[in-house]
Amino acid sequence: RTKRVGVVGPGEDSAPAPRRKKRESTLLKDSIISHFFPTVNADSDGGPSKKLRSFLSCFVVYGSEDVEGGKLRNREFEVADQSNNGFISIAEFDRWIRSILVTKLDRGEGDKLWRFFHPSFTYAFNRARTKAVEQAVTGAQRDQTGEEYIGGDYVMKKDFRLLNLSLCIYAAMVDAFALIDGHDD
């Protein structure tokens, strides 16, 4: 039996079904800072530092779930993967972060932020690579040379978003600890 559109039968609600909104990636679209620190004024004491805001402004776009974020990630993964093997090592990730900071900010400020947030790079990288190893239980993947790969010391393209999100989160932790300890250099 086919149902006629627009005709309301007995026991049916006459109101049309609500339309589902498109999924919005609100976490990162506007700013990761506004998500993690919604009530903090940028100029108030105890909030995220200017260093963190500058750092996040360089990397938050690579964590976006929208189409534009995916295109940016794909392009930047190719830049970061200097060996063109489909994987990023910690050294390649470190160089990529420095190049982004120096490109988007001036060289002096970029180098200063790179040194200040450097501890977060390793934590973020290890988080992304261990997540990849956890997900690789279903089967090995192959790199461009045909060699079997199950995670290990590298991050694959599919984990690049997680890598950037982790970078932003661990950078916020480094900033918070620096604020608590009273070290801003």
Side-chain angles (χ1 to χ4, degrees), residues 62-74:
Y62 304 117
S64 179
E65 290 181 304
D66 59 10
V67 175
E68 183 180 324
K71 289 178 183 177
L72 288 170
R73 272 192 308 280
N74 286 337

Side-chain angles (χ1 to χ4, degrees), residues 163-181:
L163 181 59
N164 281 282
L165 289 172
S166 298
L167 177 64
C168 292
I169 291 167
Y170 283 110
M173 289 182 194
V174 167
D175 184 61
F177 284 117
L179 289 171
I180 292 168
D181 289 342

Side-chain angles (χ1 to χ4, degrees), residues 38-51:
T39 60
V40 176
N41 184 346
D43 298 324
S44 69
D45 290 339
S49 69
K50 289 180 182 178
K51 286 181 184 179

Side-chain angles (χ1 to χ4, degrees), residues 77 81-89 92 142-145 154-155:
F77 184 87
D81 181 20
Q82 296 171 351
S83 58
N84 292 325
N85 62 358
F87 305 106
I88 296 177
S89 68
E92 289 172 324
R142 300 195 180 274
D143 65 9
Q144 290 180 349
T145 63
Y154 302 96
V155 172

